[in-house]
Amino acid sequence: AGVAHAESHSGAVAPEDVQYGETGAVATSLSGMPGDAANGQVVFSTKSMGNCVSCHAVAQLTDVPFQGEVGPELTWSGESRSEEELRGIVANAKMSFDGTVMPAFYKTNGYIRPGNGYTGKAAEGDLPPILTAQQVEDVVAFLLTLKEQ
Amino acid sequence: AAFAGGADDDVLVINGEIEMTTKADAPAHLDGALDQVISGWHFRADETQQLETDDFENQGMIFVDQAIDQWNTAAGSEGKSCADCHGAPEDNMAMVTATYPKYDSDAGELQTVQMQMNECRTERMGADPWKYDSGAAVNMEALIASVGRGTPVQVAIDGDAAPYYEQGKEMYYTRYGQLELSCANCHEENFGNYIRADHLSQGQINGFPTYRLKNAKLNGVQSRFKGCIRDTRAETFSPGSDEFVALELYVKSRGNGLSVEGPSVRN
């Protein structure tokens, strides 16, 4: 419910209206606002939010134990990827990498047996995307800070 | 992936006498999806592995002892115990875990060990069925597994079992939930990799029931399935459901060739 509220004002792009380029990149901010890298780091590392760290290791996150290795290490994302590419990958990685294991974080439908969070029970009505438009922007801002020091 | 650990090369011998096959060539029906099938034991830490090598250290055996008492105790309106019909478990139950789930033509359905035990309870003992994956049921399942340790898993997937196998296979590759993850995404494409603190195994079930250090009891196969599907942010299925019975056959068949290992120790 909090999500719907956050998306209802300002210039946020709804999940179904996101324009993906040919290689899956997304040109403009989903929230219409710049991202906050510090908050993006929290989203990245928190299970109930992005939980990205369960699959990806990031050398700069020295105080986060047990980083995953299902996806590639992201220690250099700020150098190897553009903001537009990163936004597209976080919003819906399936547009960049066909059939990838990586979940889509800014999508609301097309799921098989969607659940209500981690309860194991059926979702009630349409699911909000896993991350809000602003949280996607925040994670992208965080990823852009990841460079070899 | 960055620092893929993979399966270790340790060798599992239980009580200094039962030599376990914990790696085997993949059965032909896996059709190249895996080269080798590997017990979950290989993906656990040394300390956890060690606990399974000796029945005095394997805390799962405490629950097997409880099941032995139950085996010998009459229950239900007919006043019969399991022992009255089946004698000693080691004499008559050694092949059960290796061959179940199995199609039962009288019942006209594929039966897991728990379903078969409940058939005996309700139709032959006049007793109430055990709730699926309840303590009493899983403990008895572990007793039956324990007397079959070392026997290669060899479930049939043809004939009357074929439709269940197909249903289970379809489920195995379905990307459930808001995270859109299938069993195969984690246990076929990523075994050996860490997903946060967990070292992904192939999700084999030759070691079930498993004694988990996490909850200090024996855990049933289908409860594990339930947890894995729940973790994809999906509406999961229930232990005992038709879907999970089919999935149990399919997943068990992926381990054809591995030794029956239950009750195993996991974290």
Side-chain angles (χ1 to χ4, degrees), chain A residues 45 48-49 51 53-54 57 64-66 68-70 94 99-101 103 107 110-115 117-122 127-130, chain B residues 1-5 174-181 185 189-190 192-197 199-200 229-237 243:
Chain A
S45 316
S48 58
M49 299 181 185
N51 199 21
V53 73
S54 68
V64 179
F66 307 122
E69 49 183 18
V70 168
K94 274 117 183 135
T100 185
V101 168
K107 187 180 119 162
Y111 301 122
I112 300 170
R113 294 178 74 89
Y118 290 107
T119 61
K121 303 215 161 59
L127 282 174
I130 299 174
Chain B
F3 4 82
T174 298
R175 301 188 65 159
Y176 290 113
Q178 202 177 10
L179 299 183
E180 299 178 282
L181 292 169
N185 287 148
E189 294 171 40
N190 278 295
N193 288 330
Y194 277 87
I195 186 163
R196 204 86 209 244
H199 194 192
L200 278 167
I229 294 189
R230 182 196 58 216
D231 286 349
T232 67
R233 296 192 185 216
E235 176 189 7
T236 191
F237 300 90
E243 290 88 355

Short mmCIF file of all heavy atoms in Angstrom, two decimals, chain A residues 45 48-49 51 53-54 57 64-66 68-70 94 99-101 103 107 110-115 117-122 127-130, chain B residues 1-5 174-181 185 189-190 192-197 199-200 229-237 243:
data_model
loop_
_atom_site.label_atom_id
_atom_site.label_comp_id
_atom_site.label_asym_id
_atom_site.label_seq_id
_atom_site.Cartn_x
_atom_site.Cartn_y
_atom_site.Cartn_z
N SER A 45 21.42 -4.43 0.26
CA SER A 45 21.88 -5.39 1.27
C SER A 45 20.77 -5.95 2.15
O SER A 45 21.03 -6.83 2.96
CB SER A 45 22.91 -4.72 2.18
OG SER A 45 23.82 -3.97 1.42
N SER A 48 14.50 -7.89 2.90
CA SER A 48 13.12 -7.56 2.56
C SER A 48 13.03 -6.56 1.41
O SER A 48 11.94 -6.25 0.93
CB SER A 48 12.40 -7.01 3.79
OG SER A 48 13.10 -5.87 4.25
N MET A 49 14.16 -6.01 0.97
CA MET A 49 14.14 -5.06 -0.15
C MET A 49 14.73 -5.72 -1.40
O MET A 49 14.15 -6.62 -1.94
CB MET A 49 14.90 -3.80 0.25
CG MET A 49 14.28 -3.11 1.44
SD MET A 49 15.23 -1.61 1.83
CE MET A 49 14.41 -1.08 3.31
N ASN A 51 17.75 -7.35 -1.65
CA ASN A 51 18.45 -8.61 -1.33
C ASN A 51 19.43 -9.00 -2.44
O ASN A 51 19.65 -10.17 -2.70
CB ASN A 51 17.43 -9.73 -1.09
CG ASN A 51 18.04 -10.89 -0.31
OD1 ASN A 51 19.04 -10.73 0.38
ND2 ASN A 51 17.44 -12.06 -0.43
N VAL A 53 22.52 -8.77 -2.50
CA VAL A 53 23.75 -9.36 -1.98
C VAL A 53 23.63 -10.88 -1.83
O VAL A 53 24.63 -11.57 -1.73
CB VAL A 53 24.13 -8.67 -0.65
CG1 VAL A 53 23.19 -9.10 0.47
CG2 VAL A 53 25.57 -8.93 -0.29
N SER A 54 22.40 -11.41 -1.85
CA SER A 54 22.30 -12.87 -1.77
C SER A 54 22.88 -13.52 -3.02
O SER A 54 23.32 -14.67 -2.98
CB SER A 54 20.86 -13.32 -1.53
OG SER A 54 20.07 -13.04 -2.64
N ALA A 57 28.36 -10.42 -5.03
CA ALA A 57 29.36 -9.90 -4.10
C ALA A 57 29.79 -8.50 -4.56
O ALA A 57 29.81 -8.20 -5.75
CB ALA A 57 30.57 -10.83 -4.08
N VAL A 64 29.30 -6.42 5.15
CA VAL A 64 28.17 -7.30 4.85
C VAL A 64 28.70 -8.73 4.67
O VAL A 64 29.40 -9.02 3.71
CB VAL A 64 27.43 -6.86 3.57
CG1 VAL A 64 26.27 -7.81 3.29
CG2 VAL A 64 26.92 -5.43 3.72
N PRO A 65 28.39 -9.63 5.63
CA PRO A 65 28.92 -10.99 5.54
C PRO A 65 28.16 -11.82 4.51
O PRO A 65 27.03 -11.46 4.14
CB PRO A 65 28.70 -11.55 6.94
CG PRO A 65 27.52 -10.80 7.47
CD PRO A 65 27.52 -9.45 6.81
N PHE A 66 28.73 -12.93 4.11
CA PHE A 66 28.05 -13.92 3.27
C PHE A 66 27.47 -13.33 1.99
O PHE A 66 26.27 -13.32 1.79
CB PHE A 66 26.93 -14.63 4.04
CG PHE A 66 27.37 -15.21 5.34
CD1 PHE A 66 26.77 -14.84 6.53
CD2 PHE A 66 28.40 -16.14 5.37
CE1 PHE A 66 27.17 -15.39 7.72
CE2 PHE A 66 28.81 -16.70 6.57
CZ PHE A 66 28.20 -16.31 7.75
N GLY A 68 26.75 -13.36 -2.01
CA GLY A 68 26.45 -14.48 -2.88
C GLY A 68 27.34 -14.56 -4.11
O GLY A 68 28.12 -13.64 -4.39
N GLU A 69 27.21 -15.66 -4.85
CA GLU A 69 28.00 -15.82 -6.07
C GLU A 69 27.19 -16.43 -7.21
O GLU A 69 27.75 -16.98 -8.15
CB GLU A 69 29.28 -16.63 -5.80
CG GLU A 69 29.04 -17.90 -5.04
CD GLU A 69 30.33 -18.66 -4.71
OE1 GLU A 69 31.42 -18.08 -4.74
OE2 GLU A 69 30.21 -19.86 -4.41
N VAL A 70 25.86 -16.29 -7.12
CA VAL A 70 25.00 -16.76 -8.21
C VAL A 70 25.12 -15.82 -9.42
O VAL A 70 25.11 -16.23 -10.57
CB VAL A 70 23.54 -16.88 -7.73
CG1 VAL A 70 22.58 -17.09 -8.88
CG2 VAL A 70 23.41 -18.03 -6.72
N LYS A 94 15.52 -9.36 -17.40
CA LYS A 94 15.19 -10.27 -18.51
C LYS A 94 15.24 -9.55 -19.85
O LYS A 94 15.36 -10.19 -20.90
CB LYS A 94 13.81 -10.88 -18.29
CG LYS A 94 13.88 -12.15 -17.44
CD LYS A 94 13.17 -12.09 -16.14
CE LYS A 94 13.35 -13.35 -15.33
NZ LYS A 94 13.65 -13.11 -13.93
N GLY A 99 16.25 -14.89 -20.36
CA GLY A 99 16.08 -16.06 -19.49
C GLY A 99 16.93 -16.04 -18.23
O GLY A 99 17.10 -17.07 -17.58
N THR A 100 17.46 -14.89 -17.86
CA THR A 100 18.37 -14.85 -16.71
C THR A 100 17.70 -15.30 -15.41
O THR A 100 16.48 -15.16 -15.23
CB THR A 100 18.96 -13.44 -16.51
OG1 THR A 100 19.92 -13.49 -15.45
CG2 THR A 100 17.88 -12.42 -16.13
N VAL A 101 18.53 -15.80 -14.51
CA VAL A 101 18.08 -16.17 -13.17
C VAL A 101 17.69 -14.92 -12.36
O VAL A 101 16.88 -14.97 -11.45
CB VAL A 101 19.22 -16.93 -12.44
CG1 VAL A 101 18.94 -17.08 -10.96
CG2 VAL A 101 19.42 -18.30 -13.08
N PRO A 103 15.93 -11.92 -10.80
CA PRO A 103 14.52 -11.49 -10.77
C PRO A 103 14.34 -10.09 -11.35
O PRO A 103 15.27 -9.31 -11.43
CB PRO A 103 14.18 -11.48 -9.26
CG PRO A 103 15.24 -12.28 -8.59
CD PRO A 103 16.47 -12.12 -9.44
N LYS A 107 8.30 -4.75 -11.88
CA LYS A 107 7.37 -5.46 -12.74
C LYS A 107 6.22 -5.87 -11.85
O LYS A 107 6.44 -6.10 -10.66
CB LYS A 107 8.09 -6.69 -13.32
CG LYS A 107 7.36 -7.47 -14.36
CD LYS A 107 8.18 -8.66 -14.83
CE LYS A 107 7.41 -9.92 -14.53
NZ LYS A 107 7.87 -11.08 -15.27
N GLY A 110 2.50 -11.23 -14.71
CA GLY A 110 3.13 -12.30 -15.47
C GLY A 110 3.75 -13.36 -14.57
O GLY A 110 4.49 -14.21 -15.04
N TYR A 111 3.43 -13.33 -13.28
CA TYR A 111 4.02 -14.30 -12.35
C TYR A 111 3.21 -15.59 -12.29
O TYR A 111 2.01 -15.59 -12.49
CB TYR A 111 4.07 -13.72 -10.94
CG TYR A 111 4.86 -12.45 -10.83
CD1 TYR A 111 4.28 -11.29 -10.36
CD2 TYR A 111 6.20 -12.42 -11.20
CE1 TYR A 111 5.01 -10.11 -10.25
CE2 TYR A 111 6.94 -11.26 -11.11
CZ TYR A 111 6.34 -10.10 -10.63
OH TYR A 111 7.06 -8.95 -10.54
N ILE A 112 3.88 -16.69 -11.98
CA ILE A 112 3.20 -17.97 -11.74
C ILE A 112 3.10 -18.17 -10.23
O ILE A 112 4.11 -18.17 -9.53
CB ILE A 112 4.00 -19.12 -12.38
CG1 ILE A 112 4.12 -18.88 -13.89
CG2 ILE A 112 3.35 -20.48 -12.08
CD1 ILE A 112 5.09 -19.83 -14.59
N ARG A 113 1.87 -18.29 -9.73
CA ARG A 113 1.60 -18.43 -8.29
C ARG A 113 2.29 -17.36 -7.45
O ARG A 113 3.04 -17.67 -6.51
CB ARG A 113 2.03 -19.82 -7.79
CG ARG A 113 1.19 -20.94 -8.38
CD ARG A 113 1.66 -22.28 -7.90
NE ARG A 113 1.29 -22.55 -6.50
CZ ARG A 113 0.15 -23.11 -6.12
NH1 ARG A 113 -0.74 -23.45 -7.01
NH2 ARG A 113 -0.09 -23.32 -4.84
N PRO A 114 2.04 -16.10 -7.77
CA PRO A 114 2.63 -15.05 -6.95
C PRO A 114 2.19 -15.17 -5.49
O PRO A 114 1.04 -15.51 -5.22
CB PRO A 114 2.11 -13.75 -7.57
CG PRO A 114 0.88 -14.16 -8.34
CD PRO A 114 1.14 -15.56 -8.81
N GLY A 115 3.12 -14.93 -4.59
CA GLY A 115 2.82 -15.06 -3.17
C GLY A 115 2.80 -13.71 -2.47
O GLY A 115 3.22 -12.69 -3.03
N GLY A 117 4.63 -11.84 -0.26
CA GLY A 117 5.96 -11.78 0.35
C GLY A 117 6.51 -13.18 0.55
O GLY A 117 6.38 -14.04 -0.32
N TYR A 118 7.11 -13.41 1.71
CA TYR A 118 7.69 -14.72 2.00
C TYR A 118 6.78 -15.57 2.91
O TYR A 118 7.24 -16.44 3.63
CB TYR A 118 9.06 -14.55 2.67
CG TYR A 118 10.14 -14.01 1.75
CD1 TYR A 118 10.59 -12.70 1.86
CD2 TYR A 118 10.70 -14.82 0.76
CE1 TYR A 118 11.59 -12.20 1.02
CE2 TYR A 118 11.69 -14.34 -0.09
CZ TYR A 118 12.13 -13.03 0.05
OH TYR A 118 13.10 -12.56 -0.79
N THR A 119 5.46 -15.30 2.88
CA THR A 119 4.57 -16.05 3.76
C THR A 119 4.20 -17.42 3.18
O THR A 119 3.71 -18.29 3.90
CB THR A 119 3.23 -15.30 3.98
OG1 THR A 119 2.59 -15.16 2.70
CG2 THR A 119 3.46 -13.92 4.60
N GLY A 120 4.37 -17.60 1.87
CA GLY A 120 3.92 -18.85 1.23
C GLY A 120 2.45 -18.81 0.86
O GLY A 120 1.94 -19.71 0.21
N LYS A 121 1.74 -17.76 1.28
CA LYS A 121 0.32 -17.63 0.94
C LYS A 121 0.15 -16.87 -0.37
O LYS A 121 1.05 -16.16 -0.82
CB LYS A 121 -0.40 -16.86 2.06
CG LYS A 121 -0.23 -17.51 3.42
CD LYS A 121 -1.50 -17.34 4.24
CE LYS A 121 -1.56 -18.35 5.37
NZ LYS A 121 -0.41 -18.23 6.29
N ALA A 122 -1.04 -17.02 -0.97
CA ALA A 122 -1.29 -16.35 -2.25
C ALA A 122 -1.27 -14.84 -2.07
O ALA A 122 -1.68 -14.31 -1.03
CB ALA A 122 -2.65 -16.79 -2.79
N LEU A 127 0.26 -7.46 -7.26
CA LEU A 127 1.42 -7.21 -6.41
C LEU A 127 2.06 -5.88 -6.78
O LEU A 127 2.16 -5.55 -7.96
CB LEU A 127 2.47 -8.30 -6.66
CG LEU A 127 2.24 -9.65 -6.00
CD1 LEU A 127 3.31 -10.62 -6.48
CD2 LEU A 127 2.31 -9.52 -4.49
N PRO A 128 2.52 -5.14 -5.78
CA PRO A 128 3.37 -4.01 -6.12
C PRO A 128 4.71 -4.55 -6.62
O PRO A 128 5.06 -5.69 -6.32
CB PRO A 128 3.53 -3.29 -4.78
CG PRO A 128 3.28 -4.32 -3.74
CD PRO A 128 2.34 -5.34 -4.35
N PRO A 129 5.47 -3.76 -7.39
CA PRO A 129 6.79 -4.26 -7.78
C PRO A 129 7.63 -4.48 -6.53
O PRO A 129 7.34 -3.90 -5.47
CB PRO A 129 7.35 -3.13 -8.65
CG PRO A 129 6.55 -1.92 -8.31
CD PRO A 129 5.21 -2.40 -7.83
N ILE A 130 8.69 -5.29 -6.63
CA ILE A 130 9.52 -5.58 -5.45
C ILE A 130 10.17 -4.29 -4.95
O ILE A 130 10.26 -4.06 -3.74
CB ILE A 130 10.57 -6.65 -5.77
CG1 ILE A 130 9.89 -7.95 -6.21
CG2 ILE A 130 11.48 -6.91 -4.56
CD1 ILE A 130 10.85 -9.02 -6.70
N ALA B 1 30.38 -17.81 -11.78
CA ALA B 1 30.33 -17.02 -10.54
C ALA B 1 31.73 -16.85 -9.95
O ALA B 1 32.66 -17.55 -10.33
CB ALA B 1 29.44 -17.74 -9.55
N ALA B 2 31.81 -15.95 -9.04
CA ALA B 2 33.11 -15.48 -8.56
C ALA B 2 34.00 -16.54 -7.92
O ALA B 2 35.10 -16.78 -8.37
CB ALA B 2 32.91 -14.31 -7.60
N PHE B 3 33.51 -17.15 -6.83
CA PHE B 3 34.42 -18.10 -6.16
C PHE B 3 33.75 -19.45 -5.95
O PHE B 3 33.76 -20.01 -4.86
CB PHE B 3 34.91 -17.57 -4.80
CG PHE B 3 34.30 -16.27 -4.40
CD1 PHE B 3 33.06 -16.21 -3.81
CD2 PHE B 3 35.01 -15.08 -4.62
CE1 PHE B 3 32.50 -15.00 -3.44
CE2 PHE B 3 34.45 -13.86 -4.25
CZ PHE B 3 33.21 -13.81 -3.67
N ALA B 4 33.18 -19.96 -7.00
CA ALA B 4 32.42 -21.21 -6.92
C ALA B 4 33.19 -22.30 -6.17
O ALA B 4 34.31 -22.62 -6.53
CB ALA B 4 32.09 -21.70 -8.32
N GLY B 5 32.57 -22.83 -5.12
CA GLY B 5 33.24 -23.84 -4.30
C GLY B 5 33.05 -25.24 -4.84
O GLY B 5 33.98 -26.01 -4.95
N THR B 174 9.52 -24.96 -13.60
CA THR B 174 8.61 -23.80 -13.59
C THR B 174 9.18 -22.70 -12.69
O THR B 174 9.59 -22.97 -11.56
CB THR B 174 7.22 -24.22 -13.06
OG1 THR B 174 6.67 -25.19 -13.95
CG2 THR B 174 6.28 -23.02 -12.99
N ARG B 175 9.18 -21.48 -13.22
CA ARG B 175 9.74 -20.36 -12.45
C ARG B 175 8.64 -19.72 -11.61
O ARG B 175 7.92 -18.83 -12.06
CB ARG B 175 10.39 -19.37 -13.42
CG ARG B 175 11.51 -20.04 -14.23
CD ARG B 175 12.30 -19.09 -15.06
NE ARG B 175 13.03 -18.15 -14.22
CZ ARG B 175 14.10 -17.46 -14.63
NH1 ARG B 175 14.55 -17.60 -15.86
NH2 ARG B 175 14.70 -16.63 -13.82
N TYR B 176 8.52 -20.20 -10.38
CA TYR B 176 7.45 -19.76 -9.50
C TYR B 176 7.72 -18.41 -8.84
O TYR B 176 8.88 -18.03 -8.62
CB TYR B 176 7.24 -20.78 -8.36
CG TYR B 176 6.63 -22.09 -8.82
CD1 TYR B 176 7.37 -23.27 -8.78
CD2 TYR B 176 5.32 -22.13 -9.29
CE1 TYR B 176 6.81 -24.47 -9.20
CE2 TYR B 176 4.76 -23.33 -9.71
CZ TYR B 176 5.50 -24.49 -9.66
OH TYR B 176 4.95 -25.67 -10.08
N GLY B 177 6.63 -17.76 -8.47
CA GLY B 177 6.69 -16.63 -7.55
C GLY B 177 7.16 -15.33 -8.16
O GLY B 177 7.49 -15.23 -9.34
N GLN B 178 7.20 -14.31 -7.31
CA GLN B 178 7.57 -12.99 -7.79
C GLN B 178 9.06 -12.95 -8.15
O GLN B 178 9.48 -12.11 -8.92
CB GLN B 178 7.24 -11.92 -6.73
CG GLN B 178 7.12 -10.55 -7.36
CD GLN B 178 6.73 -9.47 -6.38
OE1 GLN B 178 6.72 -9.67 -5.16
NE2 GLN B 178 6.41 -8.29 -6.90
N LEU B 179 9.85 -13.86 -7.58
CA LEU B 179 11.27 -13.90 -7.95
C LEU B 179 11.51 -14.74 -9.20
O LEU B 179 12.62 -14.81 -9.71
CB LEU B 179 12.13 -14.41 -6.78
CG LEU B 179 12.06 -13.57 -5.50
CD1 LEU B 179 13.01 -14.14 -4.44
CD2 LEU B 179 12.42 -12.11 -5.78
N GLU B 180 10.46 -15.42 -9.66
CA GLU B 180 10.53 -16.21 -10.90
C GLU B 180 11.74 -17.15 -10.92
O GLU B 180 12.57 -17.09 -11.82
CB GLU B 180 10.53 -15.29 -12.12
CG GLU B 180 9.27 -14.44 -12.20
CD GLU B 180 9.27 -13.49 -13.38
OE1 GLU B 180 9.95 -12.44 -13.31
OE2 GLU B 180 8.60 -13.79 -14.36
N LEU B 181 11.80 -18.00 -9.90
CA LEU B 181 12.91 -18.95 -9.80
C LEU B 181 12.38 -20.38 -9.79
O LEU B 181 11.44 -20.70 -9.04
CB LEU B 181 13.72 -18.69 -8.54
CG LEU B 181 14.50 -17.37 -8.53
CD1 LEU B 181 15.05 -17.07 -7.14
CD2 LEU B 181 15.63 -17.41 -9.55
N ASN B 185 16.83 -23.41 -11.59
CA ASN B 185 17.63 -22.19 -11.52
C ASN B 185 18.63 -22.26 -10.37
O ASN B 185 19.77 -21.81 -10.50
CB ASN B 185 16.75 -20.95 -11.31
CG ASN B 185 15.96 -20.53 -12.54
OD1 ASN B 185 14.86 -19.99 -12.42
ND2 ASN B 185 16.51 -20.77 -13.73
N GLU B 189 21.44 -25.12 -12.20
CA GLU B 189 22.34 -24.13 -12.81
C GLU B 189 23.35 -23.57 -11.82
O GLU B 189 24.37 -23.02 -12.23
CB GLU B 189 21.53 -22.94 -13.36
CG GLU B 189 20.63 -23.29 -14.53
CD GLU B 189 19.69 -22.13 -14.88
OE1 GLU B 189 20.14 -20.97 -14.85
OE2 GLU B 189 18.52 -22.40 -15.17
N ASN B 190 23.05 -23.65 -10.53
CA ASN B 190 23.91 -22.95 -9.57
C ASN B 190 24.40 -23.80 -8.40
O ASN B 190 24.88 -23.24 -7.41
CB ASN B 190 23.18 -21.72 -9.02
CG ASN B 190 23.29 -20.54 -9.96
OD1 ASN B 190 24.38 -20.02 -10.19
ND2 ASN B 190 22.16 -20.12 -10.52
N GLY B 192 26.80 -25.61 -6.03
CA GLY B 192 28.22 -25.27 -5.81
C GLY B 192 28.42 -23.80 -5.52
O GLY B 192 29.44 -23.42 -4.93
N ASN B 193 27.48 -22.96 -5.93
CA ASN B 193 27.60 -21.53 -5.65
C ASN B 193 26.94 -21.18 -4.32
O ASN B 193 25.98 -21.83 -3.91
CB ASN B 193 26.90 -20.70 -6.74
CG ASN B 193 27.67 -20.73 -8.05
OD1 ASN B 193 28.89 -20.85 -8.04
ND2 ASN B 193 26.96 -20.62 -9.15
N TYR B 194 27.44 -20.13 -3.71
CA TYR B 194 26.78 -19.62 -2.51
C TYR B 194 25.66 -18.68 -2.89
O TYR B 194 25.81 -17.83 -3.77
CB TYR B 194 27.79 -18.88 -1.62
CG TYR B 194 28.56 -19.83 -0.75
CD1 TYR B 194 29.73 -20.43 -1.21
CD2 TYR B 194 28.10 -20.16 0.53
CE1 TYR B 194 30.43 -21.33 -0.42
CE2 TYR B 194 28.79 -21.06 1.32
CZ TYR B 194 29.96 -21.64 0.84
OH TYR B 194 30.62 -22.53 1.63
N ILE B 195 24.51 -18.85 -2.23
CA ILE B 195 23.43 -17.88 -2.32
C ILE B 195 23.34 -17.34 -0.89
O ILE B 195 22.85 -18.00 0.00
CB ILE B 195 22.14 -18.50 -2.88
CG1 ILE B 195 21.06 -17.47 -3.11
CG2 ILE B 195 21.62 -19.66 -2.05
CD1 ILE B 195 19.92 -17.92 -4.04
N ARG B 196 23.92 -16.20 -0.70
CA ARG B 196 24.17 -15.69 0.65
C ARG B 196 24.93 -16.74 1.47
O ARG B 196 25.91 -17.27 0.99
CB ARG B 196 22.83 -15.28 1.30
CG ARG B 196 22.96 -14.25 2.40
CD ARG B 196 22.95 -12.82 1.88
NE ARG B 196 23.72 -11.92 2.72
CZ ARG B 196 23.21 -10.90 3.40
NH1 ARG B 196 21.93 -10.63 3.34
NH2 ARG B 196 24.00 -10.12 4.11
N ALA B 197 24.47 -17.07 2.68
CA ALA B 197 25.27 -17.97 3.52
C ALA B 197 25.09 -19.44 3.17
O ALA B 197 25.75 -20.30 3.73
CB ALA B 197 24.90 -17.74 4.98
N HIS B 199 25.29 -22.75 0.86
CA HIS B 199 26.03 -23.35 -0.24
C HIS B 199 25.03 -24.22 -1.00
O HIS B 199 24.55 -25.23 -0.49
CB HIS B 199 27.16 -24.21 0.34
CG HIS B 199 28.18 -24.61 -0.66
ND1 HIS B 199 29.13 -25.57 -0.39
CD2 HIS B 199 28.43 -24.19 -1.91
CE1 HIS B 199 29.91 -25.71 -1.45
NE2 HIS B 199 29.51 -24.89 -2.38
N LEU B 200 24.70 -23.82 -2.22
CA LEU B 200 23.66 -24.54 -2.98
C LEU B 200 24.12 -25.94 -3.37
O LEU B 200 25.17 -26.13 -3.97
CB LEU B 200 23.31 -23.77 -4.25
CG LEU B 200 22.33 -22.61 -4.10
CD1 LEU B 200 22.33 -21.77 -5.37
CD2 LEU B 200 20.93 -23.11 -3.78
N ILE B 229 9.92 -23.21 -2.30
CA ILE B 229 9.00 -22.46 -3.18
C ILE B 229 8.55 -21.17 -2.48
O ILE B 229 8.49 -20.11 -3.11
CB ILE B 229 7.80 -23.34 -3.59
CG1 ILE B 229 8.31 -24.49 -4.48
CG2 ILE B 229 6.75 -22.51 -4.33
CD1 ILE B 229 7.23 -25.31 -5.14
N ARG B 230 8.31 -21.24 -1.18
CA ARG B 230 7.95 -20.04 -0.43
C ARG B 230 9.02 -18.96 -0.60
O ARG B 230 8.73 -17.78 -0.74
CB ARG B 230 7.79 -20.40 1.05
CG ARG B 230 7.37 -19.24 1.95
CD ARG B 230 7.63 -19.58 3.41
NE ARG B 230 9.04 -19.88 3.61
CZ ARG B 230 9.51 -20.80 4.45
NH1 ARG B 230 8.70 -21.50 5.20
NH2 ARG B 230 10.81 -21.02 4.54
N ASP B 231 10.29 -19.37 -0.62
CA ASP B 231 11.38 -18.41 -0.72
C ASP B 231 11.50 -17.76 -2.09
O ASP B 231 12.34 -16.88 -2.28
CB ASP B 231 12.71 -19.09 -0.34
CG ASP B 231 12.82 -19.30 1.16
OD1 ASP B 231 11.97 -18.76 1.91
OD2 ASP B 231 13.73 -20.03 1.59
N THR B 232 10.71 -18.19 -3.05
CA THR B 232 10.66 -17.47 -4.32
C THR B 232 9.55 -16.41 -4.30
O THR B 232 9.20 -15.88 -5.34
CB THR B 232 10.38 -18.43 -5.51
OG1 THR B 232 9.05 -18.95 -5.38
CG2 THR B 232 11.37 -19.58 -5.53
N ARG B 233 9.02 -16.13 -3.11
CA ARG B 233 7.87 -15.24 -2.96
C ARG B 233 6.70 -15.76 -3.79
O ARG B 233 6.08 -15.03 -4.57
CB ARG B 233 8.18 -13.82 -3.40
CG ARG B 233 9.24 -13.12 -2.56
CD ARG B 233 9.22 -11.66 -2.94
NE ARG B 233 10.26 -10.90 -2.29
CZ ARG B 233 10.09 -9.64 -1.87
NH1 ARG B 233 8.94 -9.02 -2.00
NH2 ARG B 233 11.08 -8.99 -1.32
N ALA B 234 6.43 -17.05 -3.61
CA ALA B 234 5.32 -17.69 -4.33
C ALA B 234 4.28 -18.19 -3.34
O ALA B 234 4.56 -18.37 -2.16
CB ALA B 234 5.83 -18.87 -5.15
N GLU B 235 3.09 -18.44 -3.86
CA GLU B 235 2.10 -19.22 -3.12
C GLU B 235 2.58 -20.66 -3.23
O GLU B 235 2.67 -21.22 -4.31
CB GLU B 235 0.72 -19.08 -3.77
CG GLU B 235 -0.32 -19.93 -3.09
CD GLU B 235 -1.65 -19.97 -3.85
OE1 GLU B 235 -1.74 -19.43 -4.97
OE2 GLU B 235 -2.59 -20.58 -3.32
N THR B 236 2.94 -21.26 -2.12
CA THR B 236 3.56 -22.57 -2.17
C THR B 236 2.50 -23.68 -2.24
O THR B 236 1.30 -23.39 -2.38
CB THR B 236 4.56 -22.72 -1.01
OG1 THR B 236 5.35 -23.88 -1.21
CG2 THR B 236 3.88 -22.76 0.33
N PHE B 237 2.91 -24.92 -2.20
CA PHE B 237 1.98 -26.06 -2.14
C PHE B 237 2.12 -26.68 -0.75
O PHE B 237 3.07 -26.39 -0.03
CB PHE B 237 2.32 -27.11 -3.19
CG PHE B 237 2.28 -26.60 -4.61
CD1 PHE B 237 3.42 -26.06 -5.21
CD2 PHE B 237 1.11 -26.66 -5.36
CE1 PHE B 237 3.39 -25.59 -6.52
CE2 PHE B 237 1.08 -26.19 -6.68
CZ PHE B 237 2.22 -25.66 -7.25
N GLU B 243 0.56 -32.31 -6.10
CA GLU B 243 1.70 -31.68 -6.78
C GLU B 243 3.02 -32.12 -6.13
O GLU B 243 3.97 -32.47 -6.82
CB GLU B 243 1.59 -30.15 -6.71
CG GLU B 243 0.48 -29.56 -7.57
CD GLU B 243 -0.85 -29.49 -6.84
OE1 GLU B 243 -0.96 -29.99 -5.68
OE2 GLU B 243 -1.82 -28.95 -7.42
#
